[in-house]
C-alpha cells in the first residue's frame, strides 16, 4: 500500500510553467551585449546633432550616427611601404642600371611638336586644327571644350586616328569609320591623330567632354579651350572675378556660365559659352530615433536630403530595402547614398532589440496564475488516494 498525492504532480507542473515564463521574460527584456535592463521605444525624436552625444566614448572612430570602422595601423603602414620607390623596385626586380637604361630610352622616344593652325568653318560649324589643307582634324567644338551636345570629329586626308578613349578606356575598336564619327554619350574623351605627309610625323592630341543634360558635374578646374580666353564668368546670376583667363578654379557649388572670346582676330573663331552646375556635396541622411549606449533602441526613421539620390541598405551584411523609410529590425545597418554627380556618403548604425512590454498585463497574469495555483494546492487533498 502507498500514498499518491495529485498535489505533487500539480506542484511539478506549476514549477515547470514558472520556469518557462521566467525564461520568456528574460528573452523579452535582454538587450544585445548582455544588457538586461528594461527598454522602451522612444517617445521623443532624436536629431542628428544629439546622436553624437549619446555615443560611447571608446577608441573606435565614430561617425555622427554610429561606429564606422576600427583603424588598422599595421595595414596602413604596409600600404604606405608598398607605395615607396624601394619597395616597388624590389617587387619588379629592376636594377639601377636597368632603370637608367629605361629612362634614357623613354627620353629618346619623345616626339617634338610642331605648331598647328586653327580656323573655324562657319558653314559647317567645325573647328579646324591643321598643318596644311590635307593634314589635320575637324571638331564640332573647340579642342579642350565641353558641351551637352554630340561631338563630330573628321580627320583630313593625310591624317589617321590612332587612339580614342572615353573615361580612360579605349573605344577605338568601336568606331566603324575612323575618319569621321559622332560621339553622343556623356563622358571625358581623348584622342590622338597621326599625320604622315612628305615624311612628316606629327601628333595632334585632342580632348573634350560631353555633359549630360540636367546632371550636375564634379569639377575643381575648368581649362580654357584652344584659341580662347575667358571673357566673363557668371556664378548664381552674378559675375565673379577671374584671376587667370586661361582657366577657372571652381571652389563653390552652384550654377556657372563661362563666356569665352577668341584670343586672335584671325581664324574666324566665334564667341562661345558653356553652362553647368557644380555639385561636390554628398547627400545627407537625417535619422530620427532614441539612442542609448551607442544603439538605436526604437524604430529609426530616415530622410534623404536629395530625393533623386540612390540609396543602398545592407542589413547584417545582406542587401535590404525599406519601403517606408523606417529601420525596425534589430541588427547592424550599413547605408550608402549617392547622388547623380557621383557624390557619396556612407553611414553605419546599430538597432537594438526594442518594443513596449505590457508590464501591467504581465503582473496581472502572474497574480491570477499564483492565486489559481494556491487554490489547486489547498483543495488537492480531496484527490488523495490510498492503494
Amino acid at each position: 500500500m502507498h500514498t499518491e498525492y495529485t498535489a505533487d504532480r500539480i506542484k511539478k507542473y506549476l514549477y515547470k510553467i514558472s520556469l518557462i515564463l521566467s525564461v520568456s521574460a528574460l528573452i523579452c527584456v535582454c538587450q544585445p551585449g548582455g544588457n538586461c535592463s528594461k527598454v522602451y521605444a522612444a517617445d521623443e525624436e532624436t536629431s542628428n546633432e544629439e546622436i553624437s552625444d549619446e555615443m560611447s566614448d571608446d577608441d573606435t572612430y565614430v561617425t555622427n550616427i554610429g561606429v564606422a570602422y576600427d583603424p588598422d595601423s599595421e595595414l596602413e603602414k604596409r600600404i604606405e611601404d608598398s607605395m615607396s620607390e624601394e619597395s616597388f623596385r624590389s617587387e619588379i626586380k629592376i636594377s639601377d642600371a636597368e632603370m637608367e637604361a629605361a629612362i634614357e630610352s623613354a627620353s629618346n622616344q619623345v616626339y617634338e611638336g610642331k605648331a598647328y593652325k586653327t580656323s573655324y568653318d562657319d558653314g559647317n560649324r567645325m573647328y579646324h586644327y591643321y598643318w596644311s589643307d590635307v593634314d589635320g582634324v575637324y571638331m564640332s567644338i573647340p579642342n579642350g571644350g565641353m558641351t551637352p551636345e554630340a561631338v563630330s570629329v573628321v580627320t583630313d586626308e593625310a591624317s589617321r586616328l590612332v587612339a580614342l578613349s572615353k573615361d580612360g578606356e579605349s573605344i577605338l575598336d568601336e568606331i566603324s569609320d575612323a575618319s569621321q564619327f559622332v560621339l553622343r554619350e556623356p563622358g571625358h574623351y581623348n584622342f590622338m591623330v597621326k599625320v604622315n605627309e612628305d615624311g612628316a610625323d606629327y601628333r595632334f592630341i585632342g580632348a573634350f567632354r560631353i555633359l549630360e543634360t540636367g546632371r550636375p558635374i564634379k569639377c575643381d578646374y575648368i581649362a580654357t579651350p584652344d584659341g580662347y580666353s575667358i571673357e566673363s564668368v557668371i556664378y548664381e546670376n552674378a559675375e565673379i572675378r577671374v584671376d587667370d583667363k586661361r582657366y577657372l578654379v571652381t571652389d563653390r557649388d552652384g550654377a556657372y556660365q563661362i563666356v569665352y572670346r577668341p584670343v586672335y582676330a584671325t581664324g574666324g573663331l566665334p564667341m562661345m559659352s558653356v553652362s553647368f552646375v557644380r555639385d561636390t556635396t554628398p547627400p545627407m541622411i537625417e535619422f530620427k530615433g532614441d539612442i542609448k549606449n551607442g544603439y538605436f533602441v526604437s524604430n529609426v526613421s530616415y530622410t534623404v536630403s536629395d530625393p533623386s539620390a540612390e540609396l543602398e541598405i545592407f542589413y547584417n551584411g545582406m542587401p535590404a530595402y525599406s519601403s517606408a523609410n523606417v529601420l525596425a529590425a534589430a541588427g547592424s545597418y550599413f547605408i550608402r547614398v549617392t547622388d547623380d554627380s557621383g557624390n557619396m556618403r556612407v553611414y553605419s548604425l546599430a538597432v537594438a532589440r526594442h518594443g513596449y512590454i505590457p508590464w501591467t498585463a504581465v503582473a496581472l497574469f502572474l497574480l491570477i496564475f499564483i492565486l489559481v495555483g494556491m487554490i489547486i494546492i489547498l483543495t488537492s487533498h480531496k484527490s488523495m488516494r490510498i492503494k
Side-chain angles (χ1 to χ4, degrees), residues 305-323:
S305 62
D306 184 355
S308 64
E310 179 184 359
L311 189 70
E312 297 174 278
I313 301 176
F314 297 88
Y315 171 66
N316 291 337
M318 301 296 292
Y321 177 76
S322 174
S323 59

Side-chain angles (χ1 to χ4, degrees), residues 153 155 161 174-182:
V153 179
T155 60
L161 183 70
E174 301 176 14
I175 303 299
S176 57
D177 184 359
S179 64
Q180 53 182 358
F181 51 90
V182 178

Side-chain angles (χ1 to χ4, degrees), residues 216-217 234-236 252-257 276-280:
I217 63 175
I234 308 299
Y235 170 72
E236 295 292 337
R252 292 176 290 177
D253 287 357
Y256 288 83
Q257 181 186 30
F276 61 91
V277 175
R278 178 185 189 263
D279 180 11
T280 60

Side-chain angles (χ1 to χ4, degrees), residues 86-103:
E86 293 78 6
S87 176
F88 173 74
R89 291 174 61 179
S90 174
E91 289 292 334
I92 61 178
K93 297 179 174 61
I94 293 181
S95 64
D96 292 339
E98 291 173 327
M99 181 69 73
E100 292 177 2
I103 293 175

Side-chain angles (χ1 to χ4, degrees), residues 245-256:
K245 302 295 185 180
R246 296 171 298 178
Y247 58 86
L248 171 66
V249 176
T250 55
D251 56 359
R252 292 176 290 177
D253 287 357
Y256 288 83

